[in-house]
Amino acid sequence: MTLLEVNDLTVEFYTEDGVVRAVDGLSYEIERGEKFGVVGESGAGKSVTALSLMRLIESPGRIVKGEIRFDGTDILELSESEVRDIRGNRIAMIFQDAQTALNPVYTVGEQIAEAMRHHLGYDDEEARTRAIELLDQVGIPEAELRYSDYPHEFSGGMQQRAVIAIALACDPDLLIADEPTTALDVTIEAKILKQIEALAEEFDTAIQLITHDLGVVAELCDRVMVMYAGQPVEKASVEQLFYDPKHPYTVGLMSSIPRIGDRRERLQTIPGTMPDLVEVPTGCSFHPRCPYAEEACRQTEPQLVDPDTGDVATDAAAERAAACLEYTGELTGGLDYEVTVEGDEQLPIGDEADD
Ligand SMILES: Nc1ncnc2c1ncn2[C@@H]1O[C@H](COP(=O)(O)OP(=O)(O)O)[C@@H](O)[C@H]1O
Ligand SMILES: [Mg+2]
């Protein structure tokens, strides 16, 4: 059953330089319990999309168009107090920076327990017992002892685990994780992703995982949406994305997947940078960076289409789609990239590393 349906979401920021359309006509849906990845370089509009779901876009930004149906109700139509009931309760969010999410003056355990008392109506004893269980489940050793630690007594990896425990404490239907492991060491990252996955499966929580890193998507997600300059450029299952990518931008991202150990010195394989969103290029916004761009790409804005049939696939339910003129027969030279997927090049998963 569909848990989240986003239709034509459009978000603008009104800046001194002009109107920035940070999210431009975005549609997608997430099923109950599904793990959905949103991937793209910095500035693609991933975080703005996430904040929109929680209705946390603030001035100078505004959601100018669209629908966000969560379990059948359009979040954009709710009153502020109704949104507050959903936020943190049915939709939880974790960010890159664990430190700012934790309150330094309360113990970690107390913060998890408080979330459960507040959202689930647990009494003190129940909340404490369950909080210790959760700390244990996210991989904090000696959870009962660590319950009384303050956030600064935790390492960065443990802090992020605690944040995950708080987010999952109220058994949300949807967990939005915005670059949750970007600040962490690559080996801790793999473990934490595994734990998020295990917990989400246990609680049947759907995940919207936001990342600039396709390696992270490969690790955790069922389906993926690739974003570029505020727009979706490809939608696919993880298998399709890795074995049969359809958009040149996806292919470019793929060649920059980090290999074990060399993450810090990864090559920038897509030349150029994301365009300034005040002045998005004409036609396909990726054309200035695309090795296959032709005149048509400067003129015509490609729509999301089913790459096999060329049929329009802009609706939220479309599972396979790419926005490239290749698939509407408007590209003469074609796309002649080759995809080689080698085994065992994903992030290391296992018990060889710890905090
Ligand atoms: N508070 C803001 N004021 C002005 N522009 C913003 C603001 N927040 C985001 N934007 C614009 O939206 C674009 C997308 O931002 P964001 O969603 O944070 O990207 P990312 O994909 O890296 O998460 C940014 O490049 C910027 O142009
Ligand atoms: Mg972001």
Side-chain angles (χ1 to χ4, degrees), residues 166-328:
I166 293 171
L168 290 170
C170 332
D171 195 4
D173 297 308
L174 175 65
L175 174 69
I176 304 171
D178 190 352
E179 312 257 6
T181 54
T182 300
L184 304 173
D185 186 88
V186 68
T187 49
I188 295 169
E189 169 174 63
K191 285 195 132 191
I192 289 188
L193 289 173
K194 273 285 167 223
Q195 261 144 1
I196 293 178
E197 183 178 24
L199 279 169
E201 255 156 39
E202 184 181 331
F203 293 113
D204 201 26
T205 302
I207 299 177
Q208 175 169 322
L209 178 77
I210 295 172
T211 177
H212 61 273
D213 190 336
L214 271 178
V216 168
V217 165
E219 219 37 83
L220 194 98
C221 297
D222 308 315
R223 283 195 306 128
V224 196
M225 173 171 70
V226 181
M227 286 183 74
Y228 188 78
Q231 295 178 325
V233 296
E234 180 156 3
K235 285 179 175 180
S237 71
V238 164
E239 288 74 23
Q240 288 167 336
L241 199 84
F242 282 88
Y243 292 99
D244 190 18
K246 295 296 190 187
H247 198 283
Y249 179 59
T250 309
V251 176
L253 281 179
M254 205 108 76
S255 29
S256 47
I257 295 180
R259 306 267 140 58
I260 300 164
D262 70 358
R263 141 175 270 229
R264 309 261 168 242
E265 51 211 325
R266 106 174 52 148
L267 297 169
Q268 180 69 46
T269 46
I270 312 173
T273 55
M274 190 91 71
D276 179 350
L277 294 180
V278 178
E279 259 180 285
V280 180
T282 58
C284 171
S285 55
F286 185 59
H287 88 252
R289 299 173 71 188
C290 183
Y292 311 103
E294 299 175 2
E295 190 49 34
C297 307
R298 288 177 253 288
Q299 310 283 342
T300 311
E301 186 176 343
Q303 266 196 315
L304 274 181
V305 297
D306 180 325
D308 295 323
T309 63
D311 295 340
V312 173
T314 47
D315 59 310
E319 298 210 336
R320 187 71 177 115
C324 175
L325 295 183
E326 166 72 2
Y327 306 108
T328 44

Side-chain angles (χ1 to χ4, degrees), residues 20-264:
V20 171
R21 190 165 270 203
V23 176
D24 188 7
L26 192 65
S27 301
Y28 65 98
E29 56 182 40
I30 301 180
E31 304 296 316
R32 217 165 257 288
E34 187 177 37
K35 288 160 288 200
F36 186 79
V38 178
V39 65
E41 290 164 295
S42 177
K46 307 181 299 294
S47 294
V48 169
T49 301
L51 293 171
S52 302
L53 300 187
M54 302 279 270
R55 239 179 61 188
L56 290 171
I57 298 293
E58 286 173 352
S59 177
R62 197 163 74 84
I63 297 174
V64 293
K65 207 164 56 166
E67 217 180 40
I68 299 173
R69 303 197 82 80
F70 178 71
D71 210 6
T73 308
D74 188 353
I75 287 183
L76 301 182
E77 301 285 320
L78 297 178
S79 70
E80 189 52 41
S81 78
E82 288 169 320
V83 176
R84 242 178 281 129
D85 282 343
I86 291 183
R87 223 183 269 150
N89 191 8
R90 302 198 57 199
I91 304 181
M93 190 157 173
I94 53 181
F95 301 90
Q96 177 177 334
D97 186 0
Q99 237 162 357
T100 57
L102 294 168
N103 189 327
V105 305
Y106 294 103
T107 67
V108 171
E110 189 49 37
Q111 293 181 58
I112 302 170
E114 171 53 25
M116 290 197 260
R117 286 193 297 260
H118 179 73
H119 289 289
L120 302 177
Y122 283 13
D123 66 28
D124 289 353
E125 193 48 43
E126 273 175 316
R128 185 189 150 82
T129 308
R130 191 68 192 101
I132 292 169
E133 255 173 50
L134 255 180
L135 280 173
D136 185 56
Q137 278 174 303
V138 295
I140 304 285
E142 299 185 281
E144 191 160 1
L145 284 174
R146 303 310 293 254
Y147 180 95
S148 314
D149 278 3
Y150 287 89
H152 75 265
E153 298 175 86
F154 274 29
S155 69
M158 280 165 67
Q159 286 178 355
Q160 191 60 299
R161 286 164 203 247
V163 170
I164 293 164
I166 293 171
L168 290 170
C170 332
D171 195 4
D173 297 308
L174 175 65
L175 174 69
I176 304 171
D178 190 352
E179 312 257 6
T181 54
T182 300
L184 304 173
D185 186 88
V186 68
T187 49
I188 295 169
E189 169 174 63
K191 285 195 132 191
I192 289 188
L193 289 173
K194 273 285 167 223
Q195 261 144 1
I196 293 178
E197 183 178 24
L199 279 169
E201 255 156 39
E202 184 181 331
F203 293 113
D204 201 26
T205 302
I207 299 177
Q208 175 169 322
L209 178 77
I210 295 172
T211 177
H212 61 273
D213 190 336
L214 271 178
V216 168
V217 165
E219 219 37 83
L220 194 98
C221 297
D222 308 315
R223 283 195 306 128
V224 196
M225 173 171 70
V226 181
M227 286 183 74
Y228 188 78
Q231 295 178 325
V233 296
E234 180 156 3
K235 285 179 175 180
S237 71
V238 164
E239 288 74 23
Q240 288 167 336
L241 199 84
F242 282 88
Y243 292 99
D244 190 18
K246 295 296 190 187
H247 198 283
Y249 179 59
T250 309
V251 176
L253 281 179
M254 205 108 76
S255 29
S256 47
I257 295 180
R259 306 267 140 58
I260 300 164
D262 70 358
R263 141 175 270 229
R264 309 261 168 242

